[in-house]
Amino acid sequence: LAYAVHIKRHIDPDRAYESLKAIHTAFREQFFTERLYHNVLAKGYLSYSKILLTVGEKQLIDGVVNGVAQITQSVGQGLKFLQSGKLNLYALGLAGGSLILVAILFSLIIAGGG
């Protein structure tokens, strides 16, 4: 039982390529996964990172840190006049504050008991 194969015509390679060009392109481009990765995922990640750097890092975090530093410096500049470097004035302030506290407590005790 021999089978005879009869070829009607030759296959034109150019015509075959044109008819299968879409499949060939899909395989050659690895089903466009690399383009998808670079154009969608990688560019999206880079865009997100730039926004996060600009808004999150430079404006939010740096703003808070610089703001705290500026407030601390301003408070320090205002409080430096309270210090003279003379120990006797510090002791006088401590004694005066203690006397005020004792007077307040004494007045509360008398007002509460009478």
Side-chain angles (χ1 to χ4, degrees):
L1 291 163
Y3 291 100
V5 177
H6 184 317
I7 299 175
K8 294 181 182 179
R9 60 190 162 138
H10 293 288
I11 297 174
D12 181 21
D14 293 330
R15 196 167 158 219
Y17 176 75
E18 286 300 319
S19 64
L20 298 173
K21 188 175 182 178
I23 294 171
H24 176 262
T25 303
F27 276 101
R28 186 184 72 224
E29 296 293 328
Q30 300 170 355
F31 294 95
F32 302 97
T33 54
E34 192 169 338
R35 283 188 188 180
L36 175 72
Y37 171 77
H38 286 293
N39 292 334
V40 176
L41 297 176
K43 282 185 181 177
Y45 174 75
L46 287 175
S47 298
Y48 173 72
S49 297
K50 287 177 184 177
I51 291 170
L52 192 61
L53 173 69
T54 302
V55 174
E57 172 70 20
K58 291 185 179 177
Q59 293 179 359
L60 184 67
I61 295 174
D62 286 352
V64 168
V65 170
N66 292 337
V68 168
Q70 193 171 20
I71 289 170
T72 304
Q73 188 174 9
S74 298
V75 169
Q77 289 293 327
L79 292 177
K80 75 178 180 179
F81 298 109
L82 295 177
Q83 297 184 13
S84 65
K86 296 182 180 179
L87 188 59
N88 58 348
L89 291 178
Y90 297 152
L92 181 62
L94 181 65
S98 298
L99 284 175
I100 292 171
L101 287 176
V102 168
I104 291 172
L105 287 173
F106 188 68
S107 66
L108 289 175
I109 291 171
I110 292 176

mmCIF file of all heavy atoms in Angstrom, residues 23-35:
data_model
loop_
_atom_site.group_PDB
_atom_site.id
_atom_site.type_symbol
_atom_site.label_atom_id
_atom_site.label_comp_id
_atom_site.label_asym_id
_atom_site.label_seq_id
_atom_site.Cartn_x
_atom_site.Cartn_y
_atom_site.Cartn_z
ATOM 1 N N ILE A 23 2.328 35.942 13.086
ATOM 2 C CA ILE A 23 2.817 34.916 14.013
ATOM 3 C C ILE A 23 4.331 35.038 14.156
ATOM 4 O O ILE A 23 4.874 34.959 15.264
ATOM 5 C CB ILE A 23 2.412 33.507 13.518
ATOM 6 C CG1 ILE A 23 0.894 33.365 13.562
ATOM 7 C CG2 ILE A 23 3.070 32.421 14.360
ATOM 8 C CD1 ILE A 23 0.369 32.117 12.911
ATOM 9 N N HIS A 24 5.008 35.252 13.046
ATOM 10 C CA HIS A 24 6.455 35.413 13.077
ATOM 11 C C HIS A 24 6.847 36.614 13.937
ATOM 12 O O HIS A 24 7.765 36.543 14.767
ATOM 13 C CB HIS A 24 7.000 35.570 11.649
ATOM 14 C CG HIS A 24 8.470 35.842 11.606
ATOM 15 N ND1 HIS A 24 8.980 37.114 11.470
ATOM 16 C CD2 HIS A 24 9.533 35.012 11.691
ATOM 17 C CE1 HIS A 24 10.290 37.044 11.475
ATOM 18 N NE2 HIS A 24 10.656 35.777 11.594
ATOM 19 N N THR A 25 6.151 37.716 13.777
ATOM 20 C CA THR A 25 6.452 38.927 14.554
ATOM 21 C C THR A 25 6.210 38.681 16.043
ATOM 22 O O THR A 25 6.998 39.114 16.889
ATOM 23 C CB THR A 25 5.605 40.107 14.058
ATOM 24 O OG1 THR A 25 5.856 40.299 12.669
ATOM 25 C CG2 THR A 25 5.923 41.382 14.806
ATOM 26 N N ALA A 26 5.127 37.991 16.375
ATOM 27 C CA ALA A 26 4.816 37.710 17.778
ATOM 28 C C ALA A 26 5.922 36.874 18.420
ATOM 29 O O ALA A 26 6.350 37.155 19.549
ATOM 30 C CB ALA A 26 3.472 37.002 17.894
ATOM 31 N N PHE A 27 6.396 35.853 17.722
ATOM 32 C CA PHE A 27 7.479 35.036 18.266
ATOM 33 C C PHE A 27 8.792 35.822 18.320
ATOM 34 O O PHE A 27 9.535 35.722 19.298
ATOM 35 C CB PHE A 27 7.671 33.759 17.441
ATOM 36 C CG PHE A 27 6.736 32.662 17.834
ATOM 37 C CD1 PHE A 27 5.605 32.391 17.094
ATOM 38 C CD2 PHE A 27 6.989 31.890 18.962
ATOM 39 C CE1 PHE A 27 4.743 31.377 17.452
ATOM 40 C CE2 PHE A 27 6.128 30.872 19.339
ATOM 41 C CZ PHE A 27 5.000 30.607 18.581
ATOM 42 N N ARG A 28 9.095 36.594 17.276
ATOM 43 C CA ARG A 28 10.329 37.360 17.244
ATOM 44 C C ARG A 28 10.359 38.388 18.380
ATOM 45 O O ARG A 28 11.388 38.619 19.001
ATOM 46 C CB ARG A 28 10.484 38.066 15.895
ATOM 47 C CG ARG A 28 11.851 38.758 15.758
ATOM 48 C CD ARG A 28 11.999 39.535 14.471
ATOM 49 N NE ARG A 28 11.155 40.718 14.561
ATOM 50 C CZ ARG A 28 10.364 41.160 13.578
ATOM 51 N NH1 ARG A 28 10.311 40.526 12.431
ATOM 52 N NH2 ARG A 28 9.612 42.220 13.750
ATOM 53 N N GLU A 29 9.238 38.995 18.661
ATOM 54 C CA GLU A 29 9.147 40.005 19.726
ATOM 55 C C GLU A 29 8.819 39.391 21.084
ATOM 56 O O GLU A 29 8.510 40.108 22.029
ATOM 57 C CB GLU A 29 8.084 41.055 19.373
ATOM 58 C CG GLU A 29 8.408 41.876 18.149
ATOM 59 C CD GLU A 29 9.605 42.784 18.358
ATOM 60 O OE1 GLU A 29 9.810 43.238 19.500
ATOM 61 O OE2 GLU A 29 10.333 43.025 17.381
ATOM 62 N N GLN A 30 8.908 38.078 21.176
ATOM 63 C CA GLN A 30 8.633 37.352 22.421
ATOM 64 C C GLN A 30 7.264 37.742 22.988
ATOM 65 O O GLN A 30 7.108 38.021 24.166
ATOM 66 C CB GLN A 30 9.736 37.595 23.443
ATOM 67 C CG GLN A 30 11.084 37.158 22.958
ATOM 68 C CD GLN A 30 12.204 37.609 23.870
ATOM 69 O OE1 GLN A 30 12.002 38.337 24.837
ATOM 70 N NE2 GLN A 30 13.407 37.171 23.560
ATOM 71 N N PHE A 31 6.304 37.749 22.085
ATOM 72 C CA PHE A 31 4.923 38.098 22.411
ATOM 73 C C PHE A 31 4.823 39.464 23.078
ATOM 74 O O PHE A 31 3.969 39.702 23.911
ATOM 75 C CB PHE A 31 4.263 37.006 23.253
ATOM 76 C CG PHE A 31 4.104 35.712 22.502
ATOM 77 C CD1 PHE A 31 5.047 34.709 22.607
ATOM 78 C CD2 PHE A 31 3.031 35.528 21.654
ATOM 79 C CE1 PHE A 31 4.913 33.534 21.912
ATOM 80 C CE2 PHE A 31 2.892 34.359 20.942
ATOM 81 C CZ PHE A 31 3.835 33.350 21.061
ATOM 82 N N PHE A 32 5.738 40.343 22.740
ATOM 83 C CA PHE A 32 5.768 41.747 23.162
ATOM 84 C C PHE A 32 5.904 41.920 24.670
ATOM 85 O O PHE A 32 5.596 42.974 25.214
ATOM 86 C CB PHE A 32 4.538 42.491 22.637
ATOM 87 C CG PHE A 32 4.418 42.427 21.142
ATOM 88 C CD1 PHE A 32 3.604 41.485 20.531
ATOM 89 C CD2 PHE A 32 5.161 43.279 20.356
ATOM 90 C CE1 PHE A 32 3.515 41.419 19.151
ATOM 91 C CE2 PHE A 32 5.075 43.216 18.972
ATOM 92 C CZ PHE A 32 4.246 42.280 18.361
ATOM 93 N N THR A 33 6.391 40.891 25.353
ATOM 94 C CA THR A 33 6.548 40.990 26.806
ATOM 95 C C THR A 33 7.650 41.973 27.183
ATOM 96 O O THR A 33 7.525 42.684 28.179
ATOM 97 C CB THR A 33 6.861 39.620 27.425
ATOM 98 O OG1 THR A 33 7.999 39.053 26.768
ATOM 99 C CG2 THR A 33 5.677 38.686 27.298
ATOM 100 N N GLU A 34 8.721 42.023 26.409
ATOM 101 C CA GLU A 34 9.805 42.953 26.735
ATOM 102 C C GLU A 34 9.355 44.396 26.538
ATOM 103 O O GLU A 34 9.647 45.270 27.362
ATOM 104 C CB GLU A 34 11.032 42.659 25.867
ATOM 105 C CG GLU A 34 12.261 43.386 26.339
ATOM 106 C CD GLU A 34 13.530 42.897 25.657
ATOM 107 O OE1 GLU A 34 13.549 41.765 25.137
ATOM 108 O OE2 GLU A 34 14.485 43.681 25.651
ATOM 109 N N ARG A 35 8.610 44.643 25.468
ATOM 110 C CA ARG A 35 8.080 45.997 25.253
ATOM 111 C C ARG A 35 7.110 46.369 26.365
ATOM 112 O O ARG A 35 7.107 47.501 26.854
ATOM 113 C CB ARG A 35 7.374 46.093 23.910
ATOM 114 C CG ARG A 35 8.301 46.194 22.748
ATOM 115 C CD ARG A 35 7.524 46.482 21.488
ATOM 116 N NE ARG A 35 8.376 46.408 20.324
ATOM 117 C CZ ARG A 35 7.966 46.610 19.100
ATOM 118 N NH1 ARG A 35 6.700 46.899 18.874
ATOM 119 N NH2 ARG A 35 8.798 46.524 18.094
#
